[in-house]
Every structure is written in structure tokens, then in C-alpha cells.
Amino acid sequence: MSVEESVVFRADRYDVRRVSYLTGDGQQHQRDIIRHPGAVVLLPITDDGRVVMIRNFRVSVDRMLLEVPAGTMEPGEAPEVTAARELIEETGYRAGKLEPLRTFYASPGFCDEAMHLFLATGLVAGTPEREEYEVIENQLVPLEEVKRLIVDGTIQDGKTLVALMDYLYVRQA
């Protein structure tokens, strides 16, 4: 498949690109897609079995969402480095161990953002290093409560659902 790209818009953390491509039948097509540097998703679990989650205000949906911590990778930054940094920034916790679990695409229909999921254990509490504009609160949630929050629809964030379901239904199965 032959592909050509041109930049439509540059933002701080991603580009919107117009991609022109030929399909196998010789037809020319165009799509606008987001080129993203990638992100990490953290599943921090305390020694006593609680998930360190955050209530995070998301302006795009104009509401607080219950999420696991996550963050965008800096150019050239390894996912493990981003994971350690973002855990401290968003929650204040430091991980004794970061274990990579899986990589998945957030929404490949229009974005190439690869999300690298890590299990964070051996946690030590500290002070968050949040950006001044972030509206975030830590919330420690027992694993049994997490199941209820998934089922009743309280947890609506996709990356959080992937992280929790991976742990509950793949790792603990």
C-alpha cells in the first residue's frame, strides 16, 4: 500500500495528518489521522490490594472521571521512564517494581496512539507533582470494589477499563 502524509495541524503533543493511500484495487483514499508519540497507563496496586486511582477532570467530556494514572511519552522517552515519572506526577506514589503487561491502541480508527500498560507494585506514598492546571484527586479502591464500579458503569474511561479487566480477568484468572 502506497501512503503519503501531509501535516494539517500541529499541537503540543500530537499532529493531525492527511494521509493519502492507494488500496489494493488501485483506488485513492484520504483520511485525517492523529499522530501521537504514545502514552503509558499505570495499574498501581498497594500491598494490601487497593488500586491507586485518580478522579481527573476531563474538559473534553466536562466531568470528573475515575481513572488509573496515565500520561504522554516525551519524544525519545522509553515507556518505563514515562511510567515512573507519571506515577509520581499524578499520584505521588513511587513504584518498587514496574511490570509491562501489554501495549494496545486507544482508538486506531483515527489515532496511532500506542498505550503501554504497566503494573506498578511495591508502592511508596509521596507527594504528587501535578501540573498547576490539573484537577486530580487520589482515590484508593479495593479490588472487589473495582469490579462493582466496572459493572455499574461508574468507570467510563477506556484505558482504565482495559487496565482493570486485564488484571482482573487475565492476570488473576
Side-chain angles (χ1 to χ4, degrees), residues 5-162:
E5 293 188 20
S6 61
V7 176
V8 175
F9 175 78
R10 287 195 194 280
D12 289 341
R13 298 194 173 236
Y14 62 87
D15 293 342
V16 176
R17 302 216 181 170
R18 179 146 304 134
V19 177
S20 300
Y21 59 99
L22 289 175
T23 55
D25 62 3
Q27 298 258 346
Q28 180 81 21
H29 298 275
Q30 283 190 338
R31 298 230 22 187
D32 290 340
I33 60 171
I34 295 172
R35 293 285 185 211
H36 191 281
V40 298
V41 179
L42 291 137
L43 183 57
I45 300 181
T46 63
D47 291 342
D48 64 355
R50 295 179 295 164
V51 180
V52 179
M53 300 186 74
I54 58 174
R55 288 207 172 275
N56 192 2
F57 180 75
R58 294 297 189 174
V59 69
S60 60
V61 294
D62 192 29
R63 66 187 333 165
M64 296 289 281
L65 294 178
L66 185 60
E67 305 177 7
V68 293
T72 300
M73 295 167 56
E74 298 294 335
E77 187 174 49
E80 296 81 8
V81 173
T82 307
R85 175 176 52 78
E86 287 293 338
L87 183 62
I88 294 166
E89 285 180 11
E90 291 198 350
T91 70
Y93 282 86
R94 285 173 166 47
K97 181 178 180 186
L98 286 171
E99 178 186 348
L101 297 181
R102 72 173 60 238
T103 298
F104 60 96
Y105 292 100
S107 191
F110 69 91
C111 182
D112 69 351
E113 179 182 20
M115 303 195 95
H116 306 276
L117 174 59
F118 289 86
L119 176 63
T121 55
L123 301 178
V124 176
T127 303
E129 299 175 11
R130 297 177 181 134
E131 302 288 338
E132 60 187 45
Y133 62 85
E134 292 180 310
V135 180
I136 296 175
E137 307 163 1
N138 284 5
Q139 185 168 335
L140 295 171
V141 183
L143 279 169
E144 286 305 314
E145 177 73 3
V146 163
K147 291 177 184 177
R148 185 188 64 76
L149 296 172
I150 290 171
V151 171
D152 74 11
T154 298
I155 297 174
Q156 297 179 320
D157 175 62
K159 70 184 176 304
T160 299
L161 290 168
V162 168

